[in-house]
Amino acid sequence: MRLRALLETDALGLRLLGGEDELDRSVRGVMTTDLRDPSRYLTGGELVLTGLAWRRDAADSEPFVRILTAAGVAGLAAGEAELGDIPGDLIEACERHRMPLFAVHETVAFAMITEHVVRQVSGERAGDLAAVVDRHRRLMTSGPAGGGPEVVLDLLGSDLDLHAWVLSPTGRQIAGAGAPLPGPVGAALAGHHLAATRTDRRAPYRTTVDGVTYSLFPIRNTGRGAAPAAGDVRESVLSDWLLAVEADASDWPAARLDLLQGVTQLIAVERDRRDAARTVRRRLAQEILELVQAGAAPAEIAARLRVAAPVLLPGLGTAPHWQVVVARVEWTAEGVAGGPVAQALLEEILVDPAVTGPDSADRIAVAHTGDEAIALVPLPAVSVPPSDGTDTADTDADGGAAAAGKDDAALHADALLTAVREPLSAGLADDGRLTLGVSAAVHSAEGLRGALEEARHARRVAAARPGRVCAAGHHELASHVLLLPFVPDDVRRAFTARLLDPLRDYDRRHRAELIPTLEAFLDCDGSWTRCAARLHLHVNTLRYRVGRIEQLTGRDLSRLEDKLDFFLALRMS
């Protein structure tokens, strides 16, 4: 429709204040805003409705109109309810920039204008998604009437009878309309999405889970003001949200697919807000990390921790315990940045999978340096009832109860990856790895440097294991497993070959089972009876096999040293 048509509609009661020569401009949508700079939410061709709440003095009009002009806005309609008459400085600014300006009488609701424009623009498509997106674009702004992804998803359900969910790259539900998506289904959909993205398939991706067909749409902000696109898909695939729609989009017309891409653009705005909200927490983590690595005095680190505690745990009365989590994403290809990917992944992994919503990570502060991401995670102080029955905060005076409470709240390496291993493995494909290490909890600045080193050592232990997604915790550092990742590869190969190759050769030539027998014998702590029962052998047969092992290797399995060598060789092979 043309701007001129708005003046010809008496019900709207619009009054033209300037720009008569520009009334043949086309209107492609409506946006209501009172932001001082709404440029990031404009795509061009809109009629902008404003209540003038952004205007504090006459100097504000010029930059506001200049921003609208640069964004390609069709026209501006200002309400008279806030200030009465439209200020002269706004009229003059619109004249300078050839921006058509309308006055909206205080008795006319912006919703009435919005509905009218939407009906005219949408025409026969009024019941389709274009009408939904255009009519409710204003709900996605950050003003008082704003909304989030749930608003758009509710409209998809009410206007188009489409059930849809916004999911994180691990399958955690960010938003949804109606019944929540079951966790395993979300994880499976995220895995399908990541796998399809890695193979450069064209979106939307069609998949079936538990007999239900879904279409998956990537959520990326490609509009004005968006961050530059990643040069390599691996730099963004593990951090992008996705829109899962319970429908088969393969037979949809191109127009509807384009319209649904518009929905993903609106949701991408919410994603950008979430990332902006994490800036403070990321900066806190970076400052503390730099102090710790530089060997700063504990008092200086403690001061920064006191600043971080209320930001990460609002309302907390006492200093919490802290844990450090270190993650690393490594790609086979050179030149692919792993640090930012690891940072985004760690922020997602540390969110409780049962928690929904885009702002559920407010306890997490993650920094990254090089290919490594480091998270500083506070654990709420544990309340321990003293002997007199009154409640006091845990100060570690009651060692047993406090330690037990702290352990209950602490992060555990294996549990962190349980729900995310499948989708992340799909995203890492055959050329990426994620390894993660978790420290023990510490309660003071003095312990933070040790916790960082502990988490890094644990991550190296995880890196020595097979698999695309691996984790290790601080409790594993007290065993022999700690030593294995630091043995040079050539030493490992030579050591295992010297002990195990004679047995493998014998097994291959004689179809024997000396290697399985050795593993079982060590697992049974050298017990002849238990080992024979496990292998379903007569004890004499077992003695013959062990004797053959000793003969081929020159070792004595009754000696602790030789048992330990065999044990380590099997672990390193």
Side-chain angles (χ1 to χ4, degrees), residues 85-247:
D85 292 336
I86 305 303
D89 48 90
L90 180 60
I91 297 174
E92 293 171 3
C94 287
E95 288 177 350
R96 282 193 296 273
H97 291 279
R98 303 178 63 84
M99 175 65 66
L101 176 64
F102 302 87
V104 182
H105 194 270
E106 63 182 54
T107 60
V108 177
F110 283 177
M112 180 186 300
I113 300 174
T114 300
E115 293 290 343
H116 175 80
V117 174
V118 166
R119 284 196 301 270
Q120 296 300 316
V121 172
S122 301
E124 294 180 355
R125 296 180 298 136
D128 209 336
L129 191 56
V132 177
V133 174
D134 288 339
R135 186 168 70 243
H136 298 279
R137 181 182 294 274
R138 60 189 176 87
L139 295 177
M140 294 301 293
T141 70
S142 59
E150 290 84 357
V151 175
V152 176
L153 301 186
D154 284 338
L155 294 168
L156 288 177
S158 61
D159 286 36
L160 298 179
D161 196 27
L162 288 176
H163 301 291
W165 301 265
V166 178
L167 303 177
S168 77
T170 64
R172 182 176 62 87
Q173 181 172 315
I174 303 295
L181 199 64
V185 175
L189 292 176
H192 287 302
H193 174 262
L194 291 171
T197 303
R198 288 302 312 275
T199 56
D200 291 328
R201 284 169 49 195
R202 184 176 180 179
Y205 313 124
R206 179 185 179 278
T207 188
T208 301
V209 177
D210 294 341
V212 179
T213 300
Y214 299 88
S215 295
L216 311 176
F217 295 80
I219 295 177
R220 303 189 188 102
N221 192 349
T222 58
R224 182 180 283 106
D232 191 303
V233 69
R234 284 166 289 200
E235 295 179 5
S236 62
V237 65
L238 294 174
S239 58
D240 287 340
W241 288 357
L242 67 136
L243 176 67
V245 181
E246 189 179 320

Side-chain angles (χ1 to χ4, degrees), residues 418-434:
T418 299
V420 302
R421 193 182 305 275
E422 178 183 349
L424 293 187
S425 296
L428 293 163
D430 58 356
D431 60 350
R433 286 199 78 202
L434 167 66

Side-chain angles (χ1 to χ4, degrees), residues 467-487:
R468 291 290 166 193
V469 181
C470 299
H474 61 91
H475 61 282
E476 299 180 65
L477 303 186
S479 73
H480 66 280
V481 179
L482 172 62
L483 303 175
L484 300 186
F486 308 104
V487 177

Side-chain angles (χ1 to χ4, degrees), residues 31-32 37 83 98 103 118 137 190 240 273 359 365 386 401 496 523:
M31 178 186 178
T32 300
D37 180 5
L83 301 178
R98 303 178 63 84
V118 166
R137 181 182 294 274
D240 287 340
R273 290 179 187 164
D359 298 320
T496 57
D523 284 345

